[in-house]
Amino acid sequence: MSEFNQPLGGNTMPRFAGPATMMRLPTQDSAQGLDVAFIGIPMDIGTSNRPGTRLGPRQIRDESRMLRPYNMATGAAPFESLQVADIGDVPINTFHLPKSVDIITAFYDDVLKHDCIPLTLGGEHTLTLPILRAMAKKHGPVGLIHIDAHADVNEHMFGEPIAHGTPFRRAQEEGLLAHNKVVQIGLRGTGYAPEDFDWCREQGFRVVQAEQCWHRSLAPLMAEVREQMGDIPVYISFDIDGLDPSVAPGTGTVEMGGLTSAQGLEIVRGAAGLNIVGCDLVEVSPPYDPSGNTALMGATLLYEMLCVLPGVKHSE
């Protein structure tokens, strides 16, 4: 009998049955005793276009039932060396965004107190700011690998300083991000001015627009990212709209010309060896993809994030 929690296997219980947790893992009330915790943040009150991401964590968990414990491509066997569980959802205040932000930070303060790495099922991108606030208290400023169609560095949205288009502006202003250790991949689409991505570059962010990724492997890019990050604590934030809507249509702010699913895998797998302290997968909006494929993309990317965490055992 393994000392580590295991996903419920498809030959023990049909995959359409059993617990509706991430990968059908056991649940517990806190992060105590865990190396890694899957956490849902069912929130869409900071969205600016199509809503529905409050339903994202539940559908990501549902679609994760197809995931198996071994990574056949990388040899990663995370459930042989890490204690992992699903600790449920953050109890946000769905009528009050600023209060929800504080609730999220407090929740993650507790998770990090247990030296547990959080893997977050979103929810919209506002949630990354309060998580980064907790991360900075624990680790100091962190490196950031941000995959997204949008830079999310708006000065404000409808006069509000906090929304899903502002988290990385606020994070930079608050000193939560390590200097010259931020990489944004997949930015694209239309803007309000030619300078829309220049604020990022002026901060020392590396901006890799989607057009630079077309028709090529991103493994060489990730080799450069690993060198850039070194051994500092690194956080990964993956907005599902970084992927092209042909493979991930279920999101609120789709942009054509995005990353392929294989490039998404290359980015996450290319983070192996970094000192990863947390990750999130955000902006899955189930009402816009009844097939569930967008949520399946998200669940798979979260599993791949688990597979590149420090301490993961690899099969011989």
Side-chain angles (χ1 to χ4, degrees):
M1 194 73 177
S2 173
E3 63 180 300
F4 299 107
N5 294 338
Q6 298 296 313
L8 181 61
N11 293 318
T12 303
M13 174 70 72
R15 293 203 174 274
F16 48 81
T21 60
M22 184 66 183
M23 295 186 69
R24 306 198 301 176
L25 282 162
T27 63
Q28 62 182 61
D29 294 334
S30 78
Q32 185 172 3
L34 297 180
D35 299 304
V36 183
F38 287 108
I39 304 165
I41 304 182
M43 183 169 79
D44 63 6
I45 45 178
T47 54
S48 59
N49 189 36
R50 303 192 302 196
T53 54
R54 65 180 61 189
L55 306 175
R58 181 164 293 191
Q59 195 186 34
I60 290 169
R61 288 182 171 110
D62 186 27
E63 296 301 335
S64 75
R65 68 187 185 271
M66 277 302 297
L67 297 172
R68 302 169 183 85
Y70 294 96
N71 192 318
M72 302 302 290
T74 68
F79 302 104
E80 291 189 6
S81 57
L82 298 178
Q83 190 67 294
V84 188
D86 187 328
I87 65 170
D89 292 337
V90 179
I92 64 155
N93 183 331
T94 197
F95 304 111
H96 200 297
L97 184 57
K99 285 182 180 178
S100 292
V101 166
D102 291 341
I103 290 167
I104 294 166
T105 298
F107 190 100
Y108 281 73
D109 284 341
D110 184 71
V111 169
L112 297 175
K113 177 180 71 179
H114 296 290
D115 293 323
C116 175
I117 297 175
L119 298 182
T120 302
L121 295 64
E124 37 89 358
H125 224 154
T126 308
L127 62 85
T128 304
L129 175 62
I131 294 174
L132 288 174
R133 287 173 173 170
M135 288 285 165
K137 284 188 270 185
K138 172 76 173 181
H139 300 289
V142 297
L144 175 70
I145 301 173
H146 171 210
I147 304 93
D148 204 324
H150 312 97
D152 290 353
V153 294
N154 292 341
E155 175 59 38
H156 56 77
M157 301 187 78
F158 286 92
E160 297 298 326
I162 293 180
H164 77 157
T166 70
F168 301 110
R169 170 79 68 134
R170 299 288 92 83
Q172 175 69 359
E173 291 171 346
E174 294 177 22
L176 310 180
L177 305 176
H179 183 59
N180 287 332
K181 303 289 186 179
V182 176
V183 179
Q184 297 181 299
I185 305 172
L187 307 191
R188 62 188 188 277
T190 55
Y192 289 103
E195 301 81 22
D196 272 9
F197 299 152
D198 287 353
W199 185 88
C200 305
R201 297 183 174 101
E202 290 163 3
Q203 308 308 305
F205 298 2
R206 179 173 183 177
V207 176
V208 184
Q209 292 181 225
E211 290 79 5
Q212 298 171 254
C213 303
W214 289 354
H215 315 301
R216 66 185 62 186
S217 167
L218 299 187
L221 168 65
M222 292 310 297
E224 296 174 5
V225 170
R226 290 194 301 273
E227 184 176 355
Q228 178 179 351
M229 295 296 172
D231 60 1
I232 69 163
V234 173
Y235 188 86
I236 300 175
S237 185
F238 202 124
D239 186 326
I240 201 69
D241 72 25
L243 300 182
D244 191 75
S246 61
V247 295
T251 189
T253 49
V254 295
E255 305 278 2
M256 71 177 298
L259 305 173
T260 67
S261 59
Q263 288 175 321
L265 292 174
E266 284 185 312
I267 292 169
V268 176
R269 291 175 181 175
L274 292 175
N275 179 19
I276 300 168
V277 294
C279 309
D280 64 51
L281 188 288
V282 300
E283 298 285 359
V284 171
S285 183
Y288 299 102
D289 184 4
S291 75
N293 284 351
T294 305
L296 180 58
M297 297 292 116
T300 304
L301 289 165
L302 282 159
Y303 168 72
E304 293 283 344
M305 292 170 185
L306 172 64
C307 289
V308 297
L309 296 182
V312 169
K313 181 179 179 181
H314 286 73
S315 58
E316 299 296 331

